[in-house]
C-alpha cells in the first residue's frame, strides 16, 4: 500500500505533501479539504492546485539550472 501511495504522490506533483510538510499538517487532511472545497466551489481549487504544481516544477528546473551536476556540463 505504501508503494502505491508513493507512486501516486509522485505522479500527482506532490503539492499536498509539500504543503503538509511546510505547515506541519497531515497530508491526508489537506487532501480531504481540497476535495471538499472542490465540490463546494465547483472545481475552482483545481486551478490553484495546477498553479502550485507548475510553480514547484519551475522552481526545481531553476535550481537544477543554477547548480548543474558534473554530467550536465
Amino acid at each position: 500500500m505504501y508503494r502505491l501511495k508513493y507512486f501516486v504522490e509522485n505522479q500527482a506533483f506532490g503539492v499536498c505533501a509539500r504543503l503538509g510538510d511546510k505547515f506541519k499538517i497531515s497530508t491526508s487532511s489537506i487532501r480531504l479539504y481540497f476535495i471538499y472545497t472542490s465540490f463546494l466551489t465547483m472545481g475552482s481549487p483545481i486551478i490553484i492546485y495546477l498553479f502550485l504544481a507548475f510553480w514547484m516544477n519551475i522552481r526545481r528546473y531553476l535550481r537544477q539550472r543554477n547548480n548543474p551536476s558534473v554530467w550536465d556540463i
Side-chain angles (χ1 to χ4, degrees):
M1 186 66 166
Y2 179 75
R3 290 175 55 191
L4 177 66
K5 180 181 172 185
Y6 183 75
F7 175 75
V8 170
E9 187 63 37
N10 280 341
Q11 297 301 319
F13 305 112
V15 173
C16 294
R18 174 79 57 100
L19 288 174
D21 290 340
K22 186 168 183 118
F23 295 120
K24 295 181 177 41
I25 300 173
S26 169
T27 305
S28 60
S29 65
I30 291 176
R31 288 186 183 122
L32 283 176
Y33 291 135
F34 176 75
I35 291 168
Y36 293 152
T37 56
S38 293
F39 282 123
L40 290 175
T41 61
M42 309 281 180
S44 62
I46 294 173
I47 296 169
I48 296 169
Y49 183 87
L50 292 175
F51 175 76
L52 289 173
F54 175 74
W55 184 258
M56 287 172 47
N57 283 337
I58 291 294
R59 285 183 59 192
R60 183 175 40 194
Y61 171 74
L62 291 176
R63 283 184 188 158
Q64 288 175 351
R65 192 171 137 219
N66 289 338
N67 298 325
S69 68
V70 174
W71 306 109
D72 292 338
I73 297 179

